[in-house]
Amino acid sequence: MDLFEKAALLDRIYKIYDEFSGNLDVACKKHCAHCCTCNVTMTTLEGYKIVEYIMRSEHCDLNNRLNNGLNNRLKQNLSKKRFQPQITTNRLAELFALGMDVPDEDNNFLWGNCPLLTDDECPVYPVRPFGCRCFFSKQDCREQGSADVDPFVITVNNVFLQYIEHIDSHGYSGNLTDILLFLEPKNIRQAYRTNTIKNPDNSLVSNSMIKFLLIPPEDRNRIVPILEKLGSIKV
Ligand code: SF4
Ligand code: SF4
């Protein structure tokens, strides 16, 4: 599958998710950015779209601001604590299904804001990764101190994460900072387009295809209509 096809599939996955999330009763609204932390993760496919969006932005202000400041902000973030996953969602689903141990992962929203966040707004909102699209709370996190997420939404989110990883199975997953810095050099993006990238260090983890879906028994019936929509995506 070439990059054009993968990007089109990603857009279809986002659209299916928007249809689902549009019916949720949530407290989320514009300028509420408590959930925009330095711990956001994504795939290389999502990172590629963000880097290209910044490079090609017709909004000169955005382009200048991000090109001048983004690199520095991301690089400053390299020395800060952030969530760096050791395992992808598809690998996690496989370990669960096989009854194997899963690694403990350290994650804390107090580690800081997303390095892209500007004046409580996301400058790459149209191409933000799924990890940002799927974060909803029934109560305002700023008042409650934490998010109140419906367990079924978590199940749905995991399945969408699995599909996105699946279509990017030649790529990698990692923290937003690590993925964007990895994809910043032109030659790396060129290699990504031809499915020949190699992970230069341990900051990213290799993606894999779906072998098992991470769906608890209590959600198996309710999620069927969503799986039918996702099933129309041939990969
Ligand atoms: S998840 Fe919480 S912090 Fe994020 S937009 Fe919703 S209410 Fe605001
Ligand atoms: S990419 Fe945008 S939406 Fe996602 S955490 Fe960063 S600022 Fe927020």
Side-chain angles (χ1 to χ4, degrees):
M1 199 183 342
D2 66 25
L3 179 66
F4 182 76
E5 291 169 303
K6 283 196 267 188
L9 283 180
L10 182 62
D11 286 342
R12 279 181 60 195
I13 290 174
Y14 285 166
K15 193 161 179 281
I16 295 169
Y17 189 79
D18 287 346
E19 285 164 14
F20 162 75
S21 62
N23 294 320
L24 297 176
D25 184 14
V26 293
C28 306
K29 50 187 171 293
K30 201 171 178 185
H31 296 299
C32 186
H34 210 62
C35 52
C36 287
T37 73
C38 60
N39 300 319
V40 168
T41 62
M42 62 186 172
T43 58
T44 34
L45 177 58
E46 295 165 287
Y48 183 94
K49 284 190 79 155
I50 294 175
V51 174
E52 289 285 301
Y53 177 82
I54 293 169
M55 300 288 178
R56 292 182 185 169
S57 179
E58 289 170 5
H59 312 289
C60 290
D61 186 40
L62 173 71
N63 202 337
N64 290 338
R65 200 156 38 106
L66 287 183
N67 281 335
N68 292 336
L70 176 63
N71 227 335
N72 287 342
R73 273 199 268 171
L74 288 172
K75 283 187 176 146
Q76 278 166 12
N77 226 39
L78 279 178
S79 58
K80 295 182 186 161
K81 203 160 182 180
R82 62 196 179 283
F83 175 58
Q84 293 180 292
Q86 300 165 43
I87 187 167
T88 67
T89 317
N90 282 338
R91 182 71 185 128
L92 193 66
E94 203 179 332
L95 293 184
F96 271 128
L98 299 174
M100 296 168 73
D101 290 340
V102 298
D104 277 339
E105 304 223 74
D106 212 6
N107 194 345
N108 190 328
F109 71 94
L110 295 174
W111 288 340
N113 289 340
C114 171
L116 299 185
L117 189 66
T118 310
D119 301 329
D120 279 346
E121 278 199 71
C122 174
V124 297
Y125 191 80
V127 290
R128 69 203 186 285
F130 183 75
C132 308
R133 291 167 194 264
C134 74
F135 206 86
F136 292 109
S137 174
K138 292 190 278 183
Q139 307 287 334
D140 190 321
C141 303
R142 293 167 297 186
E143 291 164 12
Q144 301 292 316
S146 62
D148 178 6
V149 189
D150 181 336
F152 181 66
V153 173
I154 294 174
T155 300
V156 172
N157 290 353
N158 281 333
V159 167
F160 276 80
L161 285 169
Q162 290 195 255
Y163 269 81
I164 292 169
E165 181 186 339
H166 184 87
I167 62 173
D168 193 29
S169 57
H170 289 102
Y172 296 89
S173 290
N175 181 281
L176 175 144
T177 293
D178 299 305
I179 292 271
L180 294 186
L181 284 176
F182 174 61
L183 287 169
E184 199 221 351
K186 210 172 174 180
N187 64 317
I188 297 289
R189 291 203 304 288
Q190 167 66 25
Y192 179 70
R193 284 195 286 275
T194 53
N195 283 338
T196 55
I197 50 165
K198 290 192 172 46
N199 187 2
D201 57 38
N202 294 328
S203 67
L204 309 181
V205 280
S206 297
N207 289 340
S208 55
M209 299 180 88
I210 294 174
K211 291 190 181 144
F212 303 93
L213 283 174
L214 208 50
I215 304 175
E218 63 273 20
D219 291 332
R220 286 194 184 143
N221 288 336
R222 196 173 163 198
I223 205 169
V224 167
I226 292 173
L227 292 182
E228 284 172 354
K229 287 185 185 173
L230 287 171
S232 69
I233 293 174
K234 302 288 176 229
V235 289

